[in-house]
Amino acid sequence: MPDESWTILKLLQWTTSYFEERSVAEPRTSAEVLLAHVLRQDRLFLYLNYDRPMETRELSAFRECVKRRAAGEPSQYITGTQEFWSLPLQVSPDVLIPRPETELLVEAVLEFVRGNNAIRTNLRILDLGTGSGAIAIALAKEMSTAEIVAIDLSTAALRLARENAHRHKLGGRIHFVRGDLLAGIPVCAEGFNVVVTNPPYVSQTEFQRLPREIRNHEPRHALDGGPDGLAVISCIVKEAPGLLRPSGGLFLEMGAGQSGIVSKQVARNKQYRYSYILRDYSGLDRVLVAEKS
Ligand SMILES: C[S@@+](CC[C@H](N)C(=O)[O-])C[C@H]1O[C@@H](n2cnc3c(N)ncnc32)[C@H](O)[C@@H]1O
């Protein structure tokens, strides 16, 4: 039944100021994303239908979403979806919400592979800590011949990653494996051309300072990199050469302020030939690329 007192525009205005009062991040965007989700439309539909009255059942579904968002839950967990590399992915509180800056890792891997004719055939890629499968799925979409292994410690994350891969018709091209970092890699002498990873890299002090939206809702094991944030990164830097083929590349996302120490770890390790750092769109050091000798 339409409720004439609430149109799309009126509801968006009311919800935006309600979110503002409750210090919800991106109040107008959150209101639009949630309303589009409830109406099963995209956000453009809202702009083109400002005067459309809401149905009673739509209002009550929307009210539930607004309550959850006002309590700090990320919109992506409420709608169950996030785009990465322009691909819609399912997300849940079992996985980190893929971030736009992680697309830099995908770009860097693609550039490395495209600039290196010798590795285009029999290309093997390892995604460590795959979460929702974002990186593995983006790379599989871009490189139809690549064989990809994706590892995570979390069974629930792997279940979701498999569903995402299946949804994008890549189920047969990515091998999802449960394991603790490099110990999860199936034994094989072949090695990988690329090890790509967005590991947990937040220090315990930084974790306490994260916005409540992240701290209370995203999985801690996806973020917490130990006392100084470097526990997982250091292990990967040390162990990755053992899995890389000669001239293979390690592509590692890290936190702001970690590039100096991670570069030194790589420089001290004689198994790497060279490394360099890529900055994200905010100008922060974000990705380390290191090539094995
Ligand atoms: C920062 S999230 C990255 C998720 C995804 N790759 C992305 O970029 O959106 C880190 C992931 O590493 C996984 N992880 C943490 N410790 C791990 C370990 N010791 N072995 C394997 N995976 C681990 C977490 O479960 C989580 O999915």
Side-chain angles (χ1 to χ4, degrees):
M1 209 178 72
D3 181 335
E4 301 296 337
S5 57
W6 286 107
T7 61
I8 283 180
L9 180 60
K10 211 168 149 192
L11 198 55
L12 284 177
Q13 288 169 336
W14 183 90
T15 310
T16 303
S17 50
Y18 180 74
F19 283 162
E20 276 165 359
E21 281 162 28
R22 274 154 189 78
S23 308
V24 169
E26 302 181 330
R28 174 73 184 205
T29 306
S30 295
E32 289 179 6
V33 165
L34 296 178
L35 189 51
H37 166 69
V38 164
L39 298 178
R40 294 170 200 266
Q41 299 285 350
D42 57 20
R43 281 163 69 194
L44 182 63
F45 174 88
L46 306 179
Y47 308 138
L48 300 176
N49 293 277
Y50 271 160
D51 296 330
R52 175 189 181 278
M54 297 287 294
E55 299 277 335
T56 313
R57 63 180 166 75
E58 292 167 346
L59 277 174
S60 72
F62 184 62
R63 203 173 293 122
E64 279 313 302
C65 295
V66 169
K67 244 194 254 171
R68 289 170 65 182
R69 184 73 189 111
E73 194 170 342
S75 299
Q76 292 92 334
Y77 289 153
I78 302 172
T79 62
T81 180
Q82 168 68 23
E83 266 199 12
F84 182 82
W85 203 255
S86 301
L87 301 164
L89 297 178
Q90 281 186 75
V91 292
S92 78
D94 292 321
V95 298
L96 187 94
I97 298 164
R99 304 297 204 269
E101 56 266 30
T102 300
E103 294 186 354
L104 193 58
L105 271 179
V106 176
E107 282 169 21
V109 171
L110 291 177
E111 201 178 312
F112 177 77
V113 171
R114 287 174 181 156
N116 193 337
N117 281 337
I119 65 170
R120 292 231 202 113
T121 50
N122 191 19
L123 173 61
R124 297 190 78 234
I125 297 177
L126 173 66
D127 173 19
L128 265 181
T130 196
S132 61
I135 298 169
I137 289 169
L139 290 174
K141 264 278 178 213
E142 295 292 334
M143 294 184 284
S144 58
T145 56
E147 186 191 337
I148 301 182
V149 177
I151 305 260
D152 208 287
L153 197 53
S154 156
T155 310
L158 285 170
R159 195 177 310 121
L160 200 71
R162 274 194 196 98
E163 278 174 31
N164 278 325
H166 184 70
R167 188 171 165 201
H168 288 289
K169 304 196 179 357
L170 299 166
R173 299 248 326 277
I174 307 172
H175 310 287
F176 292 99
V177 180
R178 184 176 180 277
D180 186 352
L181 289 180
L182 304 163
I185 319 295
V187 179
C188 89
E190 275 192 277
F192 294 90
N193 303 97
V194 166
V195 172
V196 59
T197 181
N198 173 18
Y201 55 68
V202 177
S203 74
Q204 278 163 6
T205 319
E206 282 166 342
F207 185 84
Q208 297 312 326
R209 293 199 206 114
L210 287 174
R212 65 177 176 149
E213 183 163 335
I214 300 175
R215 199 178 58 240
N216 295 344
H217 294 276
E218 299 208 52
R220 183 161 184 155
H221 58 85
L223 295 160
D224 189 341
D228 62 357
L230 291 163
V232 182
I233 286 184
S234 305
C235 174
I236 293 172
V237 167
K238 184 163 168 248
E239 303 291 338
L243 285 163
L244 283 167
R245 293 174 176 170
S247 304
L250 168 65
F251 298 78
L252 173 91
E253 181 171 327
M254 65 198 147
Q258 292 176 330
S259 63
I261 189 149
V262 181
S263 297
K264 274 190 197 140
Q265 288 179 358
V266 171
R268 278 198 297 266
N269 188 326
K270 298 297 169 224
Q271 298 180 87
Y272 293 105
R273 188 164 32 203
Y274 68 87
S275 73
Y276 56 92
I277 300 288
L278 299 172
R279 292 201 172 138
D280 65 18
Y281 303 111
S282 314
L284 300 170
D285 288 356
R286 182 63 61 194
V287 167
L288 172 126
V289 182
E291 192 171 312
K292 186 180 161 172
S293 302

